[in-house]
Amino acid sequence: MQNNNCKDIVLSFEDYTSKLSVILPKIYGRKPLACVNTFGCQQNVSDSEKIKGILEAAGYGITEDDENADFVIFNTCAVREHAEDRVFGNIGRMKALKKQRQGMLVAVCGCMSQQQIISDKIKNSYPYVDIVLGTRHSHKLPEYIYKRLTGAARIFDISEDFSEIIEGMPIHRDGSLKGWLPIMYGCDNFCTYCIVPHVRGRERSRCSFEIVNEAKAMVAAGFKEITLLGQNVNSYGKGLSEDINFAGLLKKINDIEGDFRIRFMTSHPKDCTTELLDTIAACEKVETHLHLPFQSGSDRVLKTMNRKYDSTTYLNLIKEAKKRIPGVSFTSDIIVGFPGETYEDFKETLRVVKEVEFQALFTFIYSKRNGTPAAVMPDPVSRAEKGKWFNELLLAQEEISKRNYASLVGQVHRVLCDEVKENGKLSGKTLSAVEIEFEGEPSLFGQFVNVKIDRFTNILEGTKI
Ligand code: SAH
Ligand code: SF4
Ligand code: F3S
């Protein structure tokens, strides 16, 4: 708890949680079920684990099946238009369900509903949605569910008052082997295409004491992989009263006793220091993999995107990382067809892709987000043309990925076995985040295993040694 304001919030949270747990069995005559439908990035998956924890504390059982739920909440993503369309399609399904299920409540929260225009659209066109919340309001859920169940009108709260991080909320983790650990919230970078800073608010770091304690509890509970989350983990620590940066935080978590791995996302190239690269190399639990989005290879486009680096700085950073971190692998995000991008600009992106030789890429065609600066920039290139560039990029990367994977044949890696596949084989990832399939007993699930890579077909296959 960071200040009195937070204390008040938590008091009212506890108050409504206990009130709700008293009335729920009376209303439903049994323990009601809640379903959390999650869209978007790992940050949302992590937020949904908190929402589930809160709902459990208030007396709900958790189900994955929204057709059997008494409370359905959609935790939404606004990053691209396609993501929003999917959410509206799913909310639409609730109309018929609600008619069949007495006492059922529907809520929408997260990045989409944080936008006034979307909240208004739901208010006007989706009358069967009972509660609308933004990205920083999940601690208010017990209060709003209680009020709605006891006769209040539909509730809409996307206020931006909650800038404090509220620690100590209950959490219902989806897995027991790999877990999410948010280290910061929000974003201050305002890339001109991106809605995230507008819906997630200003960057706020959690204090390292809270993070390290949570990591210790996860390790004690048997987690073998912890993924640190933030929109830009490399700027962790800014604004905190303690003197710490991301490299310092990695060291503290690496010092926790136990056999586990530390992953992190996402790294912004502008804040990736040589101190951080050396820390990654020196901390044996930290992955030797950097997800380092560069978005575009054209310096002109990068400037218009407000990314605050150019292609030369990015390529030098990659060279430095290759030199300092043995066996490092890279992945990246790329946007194709940013407003005003020409084929010449796009060829610069291809040039960077070929020079770096990424393990894999996450590629997106630019999607206009209202309220961002890029939304009003001239965008003359047709969707069909952008599609052609996009396919050219995919083809180029396919060749590179294949070459990259093939070069690993013969190597021995320690993998965390995290999947028993339908074909009976096991699969696990190396410290550099590369997946290998191998034969073995299902009891190896959850364990670290040494695997020799035998061949690359369309996947890497190996043998346990
Ligand atoms: N904070 C992270 C990225 C978060 S969003 C970072 O800066 O690296 C994940 C990815 O979605 C971005 O890296 C970008 O490639 C893509 N993206 C964001 N806004 C987009 C838009 N309007 N259109 C297309 N892709 C977008
Ligand atoms: Fe969006 Fe840029 Fe922030 Fe990433 S760093 S969330 S792309 S504004
Ligand atoms: Fe989407 Fe919000 Fe994440 S917009 S990508 S869910 S931060």
Side-chain angles (χ1 to χ4, degrees), residues 237-290:
K238 280 186 193 157
L240 281 179
S241 53
E242 58 183 318
D243 183 20
I244 188 159
N245 61 12
F246 185 52
L249 182 71
L250 280 180
K251 282 185 205 142
K252 281 189 187 220
I253 301 176
N254 192 70
D255 282 345
I256 297 173
E257 261 181 50
D259 197 6
F260 68 98
R261 271 179 184 168
I262 305 162
R263 301 202 184 277
F264 54 91
M265 58 176 46
T266 297
S267 288
H268 195 302
K270 80 177 167 59
D271 300 306
C272 192
T273 60
T274 48
E275 183 203 6
L276 177 61
L277 299 179
D278 288 341
T279 304
I280 293 170
C283 292
E284 74 289 354
K285 290 169 189 155
V286 175
E287 64 174 345
T288 52
H289 162 237
L290 276 169

Side-chain angles (χ1 to χ4, degrees), residues 13 17 20 24 31-39 42 44-65 71-75 109 138-139 141-142 145 169-175 180:
F13 169 79
T17 305
L20 198 52
L24 283 178
K31 192 182 182 78
L33 292 175
C35 177
V36 183
N37 283 327
T38 310
F39 299 81
Q42 289 81 2
N44 256 18
V45 175
S46 165
D47 287 349
S48 286
E49 290 186 339
K50 288 211 183 79
I51 293 171
K52 287 178 207 171
I54 288 169
L55 292 170
E56 250 175 359
Y60 283 97
I62 301 298
T63 173
E64 298 294 310
D65 173 14
F71 179 69
V72 178
I73 182 163
F74 294 89
N75 190 11
C109 70
S138 29
H139 59 282
L141 262 177
I145 296 174
M169 287 286 124
I171 178 159
H172 168 111
R173 292 197 191 274
D174 292 333
W180 310 112

Side-chain angles (χ1 to χ4, degrees), residues 39-41 43-44 76-79 111 195-196 199-200 231:
F39 299 81
C41 67
Q43 185 66 64
N44 256 18
T76 61
C77 171
V79 80
C111 296
I195 196 74
V196 172
V199 293
R200 286 265 171 188
Q231 291 303 340

Side-chain angles (χ1 to χ4, degrees), residues 49-114:
E49 290 186 339
K50 288 211 183 79
I51 293 171
K52 287 178 207 171
I54 288 169
L55 292 170
E56 250 175 359
Y60 283 97
I62 301 298
T63 173
E64 298 294 310
D65 173 14
D66 59 17
E67 306 213 343
N68 271 317
D70 302 287
F71 179 69
V72 178
I73 182 163
F74 294 89
N75 190 11
T76 61
C77 171
V79 80
R80 285 171 290 274
E81 197 177 353
H82 175 67
E84 292 199 344
D85 292 345
R86 274 182 61 213
V87 170
F88 276 123
N90 276 279
I91 298 175
R93 279 195 303 119
M94 295 297 111
K95 186 176 180 183
L97 274 182
K98 226 180 142 170
K99 278 199 190 124
Q100 292 161 16
R101 232 180 142 76
Q102 222 196 347
M104 181 182 173
L105 290 186
V106 177
V108 183
C109 70
C111 296
M112 246 173 94
S113 48
Q114 183 63 58

Side-chain angles (χ1 to χ4, degrees), residues 187 189-191 193-194 196-197 231-232 268 295 307:
C187 179
N189 291 311
F190 288 97
C191 303
Y193 50 81
C194 185
V196 172
Q231 291 303 340
N232 174 16
H268 195 302
Q295 313 297 358
R307 289 291 290 182

Side-chain angles (χ1 to χ4, degrees), residues 336-349:
V336 173
F338 182 79
E341 180 175 332
T342 62
Y343 187 62
E344 291 307 306
D345 291 316
F346 170 72
K347 281 207 299 211
E348 289 290 282
T349 299

